[in-house]
Amino acid sequence: MLVRRKHALRRAKEEGDLTPDGARRHEALGRVMAALATEAEFIESCRDLTWWRGSDDSWHLEWRDGPFASEVAVLLAERLAVPGDVTPAGPGSEMSAGLDVMGVRLELHAIDPMGTARVRAKPGFWRLAEALDTTRRTNARHPWEELLGG
């Protein structure tokens, strides 16, 4: 926690915002990005993940494809489940949703989202879930067999 605050304060200094609110805004974004970084399925399914600071000191996250914005809002609310730190900021839709993270507004924007169900059903070049599925027999060797030489 202390390390996050130091990074948030350093980032706020770089942007010229040395107020406690500036550090809190950057810490909120850091927590959100850290939570999303642990979600391999989200990262694999999204293209062009970008973020920017809004004119009202909010953060905007935007991505193409991937899950619906409302699904990402639920995911973040679960991952950042410190009581009082995350609250939904109104009902979400497929294209947009809002969260209040540590008192900082977070706007989620999905462009051409597929939804989690379609993302999981979509065959991809390499999906972690398929690679680790040991219940399905195939003619091809599993990735760990390649690694272990078996």
Side-chain angles (χ1 to χ4, degrees):
M1 182 84 114
L2 184 60
V3 172
R4 263 193 212 139
R5 289 179 193 227
K6 285 182 181 179
H7 290 299
L9 187 58
R10 185 179 70 219
R11 183 73 178 155
K13 283 180 185 178
E14 289 171 4
E15 291 190 4
D17 190 359
L18 296 175
T19 64
D21 286 340
R24 186 172 39 83
R25 274 192 302 273
H26 285 90
E27 183 177 351
L29 178 66
R31 287 183 184 203
V32 167
M33 298 308 280
L36 291 178
T38 63
E39 294 298 319
E41 192 161 20
F42 174 79
I43 297 298
E44 284 182 21
S45 67
C46 292
R47 292 184 307 127
D48 304 329
L49 176 65
T50 60
W51 60 93
W52 65 93
R53 194 163 134 189
S55 60
D56 58 348
D57 292 332
S58 63
W59 288 105
H60 296 257
L61 266 73
E62 183 176 271
W63 63 92
R64 293 186 178 280
D65 300 335
F68 297 133
S70 57
E71 293 172 332
V72 174
V74 169
L75 173 81
L76 288 172
E78 290 172 358
R79 296 292 179 260
L80 302 171
V82 177
D85 275 0
V86 179
T87 56
S93 69
E94 293 180 355
M95 305 290 274
S96 66
L99 285 175
D100 192 33
V101 180
M102 298 175 51
V104 177
R105 176 81 176 185
L106 178 70
E107 295 288 336
L108 304 171
H109 306 280
I111 300 172
D112 298 328
M114 294 185 290
T116 310
R118 274 188 60 204
V119 166
R120 289 183 182 140
K122 179 183 175 187
F125 174 70
W126 186 77
R127 294 195 38 86
L128 186 60
E130 291 175 8
L132 299 176
D133 184 8
T134 59
T135 61
R136 190 182 56 155
R137 291 301 309 158
T138 63
N139 292 336
R141 292 168 55 171
H142 290 287
W144 62 83
E145 292 173 330
E146 293 286 336
L147 289 172
L148 298 176

